[in-house]
Amino acid sequence: MPTLTGRIGPDHFRTVIASDSGHELLADEPLDNGGQNLGPSPGELLAASLSACTCITVRMYADRKQWPLHGVEAVVSFEHNPQHVVTRLTRKLHLLGTLTDEQRQRLLQIANLCPIHKALTASVPIDTELG
């Protein structure tokens, strides 16, 4: 099972996230929330996951069908409540290429089948334990 590890020290709220595949990224909170704005907030990372997964899923499908898709842009915005819980994600899909209306509609359906979309719309259990 792939594993990601977040580490935070005394710096408010700079967090280094490392994957077991050797990648690292930085998360933080914006200045107005006490952070240093050194990286995306956790909510932004959630939206980024949906955007990336959408683009990859649509690209894979179009490639498999050999459709003339030249590019995909998934713009994801989000709303959160005062406790910073994401309460709504909005995704706008831009498909570049000479696609038919039928192909465009099918790719819209495929976007809704990306694994992150499925996880966010399902009830995913999270087990938490002390290590």
Side-chain angles (χ1 to χ4, degrees), residues 54 58 67 91-93 95 102-113 117:
T54 300
V58 169
W67 288 353
R91 177 176 54 185
K92 186 166 189 174
L93 194 59
L95 304 172
E102 183 178 280
Q103 289 169 330
R104 293 174 61 76
Q105 287 304 309
R106 181 62 182 148
L107 291 175
L108 176 60
Q109 292 172 341
I110 294 302
N112 289 329
L113 297 175
H117 181 108

Side-chain angles (χ1 to χ4, degrees), residues 58-69 98-99 103:
V58 169
R59 169 90 271 157
M60 285 178 170
Y61 186 87
D63 286 353
R64 193 168 52 247
K65 293 290 191 177
Q66 298 181 340
W67 288 353
L69 179 65
T98 53
L99 299 162
Q103 289 169 330

Side-chain angles (χ1 to χ4, degrees), residues 38-90:
L38 297 173
S41 70
E44 289 171 327
L45 291 171
L46 180 68
S49 292
L50 179 60
S51 177
C53 188
T54 300
C55 289
I56 291 168
T57 301
V58 169
R59 169 90 271 157
M60 285 178 170
Y61 186 87
D63 286 353
R64 193 168 52 247
K65 293 290 191 177
Q66 298 181 340
W67 288 353
L69 179 65
H70 300 298
V72 180
E73 182 178 84
V75 179
V76 178
S77 57
F78 65 97
E79 297 173 17
H80 60 81
N81 65 20
Q83 294 77 35
H84 298 279
V85 175
V86 174
T87 56
R88 176 176 295 281
L89 293 159
T90 302

